[in-house]
Amino acid sequence: MTALAALFVRDVRLAIRVGGGGGIGVLFFLIVVTLMPFAIGPDLALLGRIGPAILWLGALLASLLTLDRLLAMDQEDGSLDLMLTGRSPLELAVAAKALAHWLTTGLPLVIAAPLLGLFLNLDLGSSGAVALTLLAGTPALTFIGLIGAALSVTLRRGGLLLAVLVMPLTVPVLIFGVAASNAALVGPLPFGTPFTILCALTLISIVVGTFAAATALRHGME
Amino acid sequence: MPIIDLANPTRFLRFAERALPWLAGLTLLAFAAGLNLTLGAPDDYQQGATVKIMFIHVPSAWLGMGIWALMTIAALGTLVWRHPLADVAAKAAAPVGAAFTLLCLVTGSLWGRPMWGAYWVWDARLTSVLVLFLMYLGVMALWRTVDDPARAGRAAAILTLVGAINLPIIKFSVDWWNTLHQPASVLRLAGPSIHPSILIPLLAMTLAFVLLFLALHLAAMRNEILRRRVRSLMMMQAQTAPGSGS
Amino acid sequence: MNLGPHAPFIVAAYGIATFVIGALIAWVMLDHRAQLRALDDLELRGVTRRSDRAPEKTA
């Protein structure tokens, strides 16, 4: 357990000290949201209507962007091999890494979302709702991305391949994330229905992502 | 016993060479019968003659999903039982599955233009099939980017299994999303109850498509075994004759 | 046979199906030929499998 805690603390500390990861993700998020009105026009009513969708798409792309930092650096400096041969189960080690990654890259996106919501003509209440759905949904993105990161680390191919493998799997999260935000904003639907399903998706992704990534690493490194 | 025998690639090759002509002949016969029945099928009272598109659209959709199921079994074969031919089967199936899924999408779109008035409607089924197609392309990209077949095979197996878990969830999400955004009432692809005069040609065409897939899969597996043989020979040559050029 | 007002779409669907299936068959056959040629080529250069040189032993 202490080994896992040490790993978690190390990852968080590295991400904060080395920088890049979380900060660049938020910057990317900001740029995507800034570009949107240039593409669809500065119509405030329209922006308010599709605002949650823009925020969700931006967060999805931003979390994809930071994924290749999740395992690649550990593979380069050999600490991944230590994790493979270490005593703590690989599943837990990988989960600890993903959790640290979410804390340093996913959580900043969630915090930035209400602020960016102002640009998109969302009032504070609805921005808060979108941020809440992002808080529930971004762990799913990280853990789904974990599978892609593990596969691309073992194959020594990153970047575009990783995005191509991961993106189709994020369809359900995107659907229910945006649906829950819209339900809070306008929808006839109660907020709880899509939101609980979103939480369920996150829990499933944590389980599937952890085990699939650990299996990928075990099989890929032998 | 015979299945264990076939685990040996050389024996599998011999089996494939013997079985392929028969399978090809059966496929031709099945297509002749299926197309003949299709010609005789009556028009649908709602869809008119466009119901004929269903006879290729529905079998391709079933095959597109069935081939992913087959790849899932093969993935278990790679990871759990370490069957030597499992990743050959998985790799050979992926392009064929992608082709049938594409066929399903294109024929669905051609059916949709006269029925819905648009080539593409974000219908729940079509959208799920589109995601399935994207996942096929992802698996194929994975196979293509990695040289070592064993390494690529294990990675593709994991992706296939994750896909198999996710595809029902995607299907459910897309259905849910679709009912949320359902525009008025559109004519759905293939109604719930099908009249026998349509069903029999449909089943005949499905049989023909399945036989076609089996023949293509067997041939593609044979090619893959030969390709690996070429690869290992080349590597052997490169090792034994250093500096001898290409 | 009367295909009704939407005949072009039906013909196009069957045409594309023929094309896709034809492409699959062509891919499989051309690939087979390419692999056989590569094997023959290697054999000419004297690179063969152990099991081909000594048929008693199965590799």
Side-chain angles (χ1 to χ4, degrees), chain B residues 27-107:
Chain B
T27 308
L28 268 179
L29 278 179
F31 263 106
L35 286 172
N36 200 24
L37 283 169
T38 303
L39 280 181
D43 289 354
D44 186 76
Y45 76 100
Q46 253 184 323
Q47 309 173 20
T50 47
V51 73
K52 294 221 184 322
I53 296 179
M54 286 294 129
F55 298 128
I56 42 180
H57 173 79
V58 175
S60 348
W62 283 341
L63 265 183
M65 289 182 279
I67 292 173
W68 195 281
L70 183 97
M71 281 164 54
T72 307
I73 298 170
L76 286 176
T78 305
L79 294 176
V80 181
W81 304 302
R82 307 201 170 230
H83 192 282
L85 283 179
D87 61 339
V88 174
K91 187 181 180 187
V96 187
F100 281 119
T101 314
L102 178 69
L103 191 56
C104 169
L105 287 173
V106 172
T107 52

Side-chain angles (χ1 to χ4, degrees), chain A residues 18-221:
Chain A
V18 177
I24 296 221
V26 172
L27 185 58
F28 181 82
F29 192 21
L30 172 65
I31 292 173
V32 169
V33 170
T34 311
L35 284 180
M36 282 295 166
F38 292 119
I40 56 184
D43 177 4
L44 282 183
L46 179 66
L47 282 177
R49 200 156 52 80
I50 61 173
I54 296 176
L55 288 178
W56 256 95
L57 267 180
L60 175 70
L61 295 177
S63 71
L64 272 181
L65 187 77
T66 52
L67 273 181
D68 56 343
R69 307 174 61 94
L70 184 46
L71 292 170
M73 289 200 295
D74 281 344
Q75 203 236 343
E76 276 165 27
D77 65 13
S79 36
L80 197 59
D81 294 319
L82 287 180
M83 262 180 268
L84 274 164
T85 52
R87 243 176 308 153
S88 49
L90 186 59
E91 280 81 3
L92 288 180
V94 165
K97 282 194 67 64
L99 195 63
H101 182 81
W102 176 78
L103 213 61
T104 50
T105 60
L107 200 57
L109 296 178
V110 177
I111 295 168
L115 206 64
L116 298 183
L118 293 180
F119 287 139
L120 298 172
N121 193 27
L122 297 176
D123 59 56
L124 270 181
S126 16
S127 285
V130 176
L132 186 62
T133 59
L134 280 174
L135 182 67
T138 42
L141 300 180
T142 303
F143 277 89
I144 292 172
L146 178 64
I147 306 172
L151 286 177
S152 66
V153 141
T154 58
L155 301 174
R156 303 195 185 87
R157 296 281 195 287
L160 213 52
L161 177 68
L162 204 166
V164 163
L165 297 184
V166 165
M167 280 175 98
L169 301 174
T170 59
V171 168
V173 182
L174 185 65
I175 287 178
F176 284 102
V178 175
S181 318
N182 279 331
L185 258 65
V186 284
L189 220 63
F191 177 69
T193 315
F195 189 70
T196 28
I197 300 179
L198 181 66
C199 295
L201 286 175
T202 302
L203 294 176
I204 296 172
S205 316
I206 290 175
V207 175
V208 173
T210 308
F211 279 95
T215 316
L217 289 177
R218 268 205 208 97
H219 281 281
M221 294 299 187

Side-chain angles (χ1 to χ4, degrees), chain B residues 114-132:
Chain B
M115 290 297 111
W116 291 330
Y119 280 108
W120 185 266
V121 167
W122 290 93
D123 167 73
R125 293 190 199 203
L126 274 178
T127 311
S128 304
V129 173
L130 179 62
V131 177
L132 177 67

Side-chain angles (χ1 to χ4, degrees), chain B residues 17-28:
Chain B
E17 294 301 342
R18 221 173 313 143
L20 264 175
W22 290 96
L23 211 48
L26 269 179
T27 308
L28 268 179

